[in-house]
Amino acid sequence: MKNCKQIIKNMPDFLAGNLDQIEQEQFQQHLNGCPKCKSEVESLSGIWLKLETTPEEKPDPASKIKFKNMLEVYKQNMKKADHPFSFKNYFFSIFETWRLKRPAFQFGGSVILLVIGLTIGYLLHPVISNATRITQLREEITNMQQVVSLTLLKQESASDRLQGVIYGSKIAGENLDVLSELINTLNNDPNVNVRLAAVNALYLYRNNPQIKQGLINSLSFQEAPVVQIALVDLLSEIKEEKALYALKELFKRNHLNPEVKKRVESWINQLL
Amino acid sequence: MNSQEDNQLMLQIRSGNVEKLSILFDRYHISVYNFFLRLTGKKEISEDMVQDVFLRILKYRHTYRGDGKFSNWMFHIARNVQYDYFKKKQRGDFQTSEKLELVSDNPTPGEAVEQRQDIQLIHSALMKLSVKKREVLVLSRFQNKKYEEIAEILGCKVSTIKARVFRAIRDLRDIYFELSGDKSLKH
């Protein structure tokens, strides 16, 4: 036998028809003896049934078209998300099409590509040893220094030419181009200081046959006593017949500076 | 409707065959529409909410586990859609008229005017219930969901649902008689 509290608790199941036969009988038994619960159940059942009578409404037929459109848009977005276009993907898709599937073929393909790469590399870039590279670099630097020196010697400014002479003496080495230009400067430069600097610069190369000859020949071109003295001192160290002849020729020159004449005489006497 | 078949369709959708959703839409869109219509009382909004439900099905298809009824999972989504709607409504995001559009104004042939008025009255009373109470009645009476299923959809205990159903039907009765002016059936 159920009490009123249990009836209320079972009401939702009673309305929904979920009570089994025994529960249903106990429920009904209580209602027969309880007018309050009976009235409550009747009124609630009435409303419960009223809800059932309400008809189902139909949505606008356009909603199906709307759904189809939405689904289509979603499918397109799915495709874009799954396969976003990029050059990377495009490249890999081509690669995927052409790539060799079996590992043995993949290995063979790799070896062939390696050999092709090495051959092309060998043909395009002949093997150059480090020593050769260093020599090449040295040559390039020397050429550059030579260009700088020759350029300086041709400048209008005497100080620039003086710099050229000093720089040329440092880098000349066995470079005949620079040495010839220094001889040329000694013979023709209008500035006495530049010519004097050229004498000093060529001192180091006095034993070079060509330079030696150039220095001997230069003595006849020099007019400035200071340059004549410097050149006489240099030639006296060469101690050769040609140099002695040049000194003698200078000694014979008219209007020669007495100091120079005295110096030349002294050297001639020593060399004889 | 065959729930096993629904489940298979939804699993296919989950795998990427989204076209299959058309079949589920044809099966359920009227049912979902009526669920929303009885909760909101607005036809146009209910139609939009139906679209939202099926869009969310696509969006969250990866979360479908397939271990329950598809329709319960779908109504769980529908319930979230209506929850968002009422949240926005409270914020004032929707400007809608107060006129309810639950049933057609014109009676169908053979339907008595008095009967039509009674249906409109019960709908009006339903709309005066709180959303929480209304949704349990809608799911139970209109969607024929068992209390266990409603508990699954709403994420509650079955006992909570039964207690809510009882309070809802009692309140509905009181509101109904209040609106009709007929208190003879009220104890």
Side-chain angles (χ1 to χ4, degrees):
Chain A
M1 187 74 176
K2 288 182 181 289
N3 57 32
C4 295
K5 205 174 172 185
Q6 286 171 320
I7 291 296
I8 287 170
K9 195 184 169 191
N10 286 342
M11 187 71 79
D13 282 323
F14 171 77
L15 292 170
N18 294 339
L19 296 178
D20 59 31
Q21 200 180 341
I22 299 165
E23 285 175 321
Q24 186 76 28
E25 284 171 5
Q26 288 175 342
F27 198 89
Q28 201 59 51
Q29 215 174 356
H30 176 85
L31 293 185
N32 292 339
C34 181
K36 194 182 169 189
C37 283
K38 194 179 178 184
S39 169
E40 180 76 353
V41 169
E42 279 174 357
S43 64
L44 292 179
S45 298
I47 292 296
W48 188 260
L49 289 170
K50 276 184 192 293
L51 285 173
E52 203 175 36
T53 57
T54 55
E56 197 170 54
E57 292 290 315
K58 293 234 168 113
D60 191 324
S63 67
K64 192 166 180 180
I65 298 163
K66 217 170 160 183
F67 166 77
K68 290 275 179 196
N69 290 339
M70 182 269 287
L71 187 62
E72 203 52 46
V73 170
Y74 187 86
K75 275 157 62 181
Q76 283 172 7
N77 288 340
M78 260 176 80
K79 276 182 194 167
K80 280 182 195 169
D82 290 345
H83 306 287
F85 179 81
S86 71
F87 286 109
K88 189 180 161 190
N89 288 346
Y90 181 66
F91 172 78
F92 280 116
S93 67
I94 291 172
F95 180 75
E96 187 62 25
T97 311
W98 288 95
R99 94 179 164 89
L100 300 167
K101 308 286 182 193
R102 292 176 64 178
F105 292 159
Q106 287 175 357
F107 178 75
S110 303
V111 170
I112 290 166
L113 283 174
L114 183 66
V115 170
I116 291 169
L118 287 173
T119 309
I120 292 170
Y122 180 77
L123 292 172
L124 291 177
H125 300 284
V127 179
I128 299 169
S129 70
N130 284 343
T132 314
R133 282 200 183 116
I134 290 167
T135 309
Q136 280 181 346
L137 280 171
R138 277 184 181 157
E139 278 177 13
E140 283 174 15
I141 291 167
T142 306
N143 288 339
M144 196 175 69
Q145 288 172 333
Q146 184 184 328
V147 169
V148 171
S149 171
L150 295 176
T151 307
L152 283 169
L153 288 172
K154 286 172 184 170
Q155 294 302 305
E156 280 190 22
S157 160
S159 63
D160 283 346
R161 294 198 304 277
L162 199 59
Q163 286 286 329
V165 171
I166 295 165
Y167 190 64
S169 71
K170 285 180 185 172
I171 58 107
E174 297 302 313
N175 191 320
L176 282 176
D177 287 341
V178 177
L179 291 172
S180 299
E181 193 57 36
L182 285 173
I183 293 286
N184 190 38
T185 300
L186 174 64
N187 294 338
N188 302 308
D189 199 282
N191 189 287
V192 68
N193 292 320
V194 176
R195 293 201 304 275
L196 192 61
V199 175
N200 291 330
L202 290 165
Y203 178 80
L204 294 171
Y205 308 100
R206 65 188 184 278
N207 294 322
N208 180 304
Q210 286 172 288
I211 301 304
K212 192 191 289 176
Q213 190 59 50
L215 288 167
I216 291 166
N217 295 341
S218 180
L219 191 61
S220 59
F221 299 118
Q222 301 304 328
E223 297 294 336
V226 68
V227 179
Q228 286 173 334
I229 288 174
L231 203 51
V232 165
D233 287 348
L234 193 156
L235 291 177
S236 64
E237 287 195 26
I238 291 174
K239 296 175 184 171
E240 277 194 13
E241 196 65 33
K242 284 181 184 172
L244 185 63
Y245 179 77
L247 288 173
K248 283 179 181 174
E249 286 298 310
L250 182 65
F251 186 74
K252 290 178 194 169
R253 196 187 290 184
N254 294 328
H255 312 295
L256 189 66
N257 183 287
E259 284 297 318
V260 177
K261 198 161 192 169
K262 197 175 166 184
R263 190 84 163 211
V264 171
E265 189 178 16
S266 165
W267 279 118
I268 290 171
N269 290 333
Q270 281 183 39
L271 293 170
L272 285 173
Chain B
M1 285 168 218
N2 187 337
S3 105
Q4 193 71 27
E5 200 186 324
D6 290 347
N7 192 40
Q8 287 301 318
L9 284 168
M10 190 56 219
L11 288 173
Q12 287 181 53
I13 293 163
R14 189 181 74 176
S15 307
N17 190 0
V18 294
E19 188 61 48
K20 296 284 180 189
L21 190 66
S22 297
I23 302 170
L24 292 174
F25 181 84
D26 289 342
R27 279 183 192 170
Y28 289 105
H29 81 284
I30 295 174
S31 174
V32 179
Y33 170 72
N34 278 275
F35 169 71
F36 288 131
L37 186 62
R38 279 158 179 143
L39 286 172
T40 63
K42 303 289 172 192
K43 287 182 176 176
E44 203 176 326
I45 287 170
S46 298
E47 282 169 5
D48 288 345
M49 287 162 94
V50 171
Q51 299 292 331
D52 197 2
V53 167
F54 284 92
L55 182 62
R56 287 193 195 194
I57 288 174
L58 287 173
K59 201 173 168 185
Y60 301 113
R61 64 199 161 94
H62 301 292
T63 65
Y64 184 72
R65 294 198 304 271
D67 51 3
K69 274 173 82 174
F70 162 74
S71 64
N72 290 348
W73 184 72
M74 182 188 67
F75 273 108
H76 179 75
I77 291 173
R79 199 259 178 168
N80 289 338
V81 169
Q82 67 93 7
Y83 176 80
D84 291 346
Y85 164 76
F86 282 107
K87 208 164 66 176
K88 284 176 186 171
K89 199 183 174 195
Q90 274 184 342
R91 287 205 311 252
D93 291 3
F94 290 107
Q95 296 295 324
T96 55
S97 69
E98 288 304 308
K99 187 178 180 292
L100 298 175
E101 304 164 336
L102 290 165
V103 286
S104 306
D105 293 334
N106 301 321
T108 52
E111 191 179 38
V113 177
E114 199 179 328
Q115 191 185 351
R116 168 98 338 204
Q117 283 174 344
D118 196 41
I119 291 168
Q120 284 177 340
L121 193 65
I122 196 81
H123 276 141
S124 300
L126 193 66
M127 294 307 293
K128 286 191 178 292
L129 286 178
S130 69
V131 179
K132 273 189 170 186
K133 286 175 182 168
R134 204 185 318 160
E135 71 181 353
V136 287
L137 289 182
V138 169
L139 285 167
S140 174
R141 291 308 282 146
F142 300 109
Q143 301 301 332
N144 297 316
K145 291 288 177 194
K146 292 175 183 168
Y147 296 141
E148 289 77 10
E149 289 179 301
I150 298 171
E152 188 189 323
I153 292 165
L154 303 184
C156 301
K157 286 180 182 174
V158 180
S159 57
T160 309
I161 298 300
K162 285 180 182 176
R164 198 177 292 169
V165 165
F166 176 71
R167 286 196 295 272
I169 195 74
R170 200 180 53 189
D171 289 358
L172 183 69
R173 178 198 60 193
D174 295 347
I175 295 165
Y176 173 80
F177 289 129
E178 212 170 279
L179 289 174
S180 66
D182 180 5
K183 296 188 180 178
S184 59
L185 287 168
K186 201 176 170 185
H187 62 89

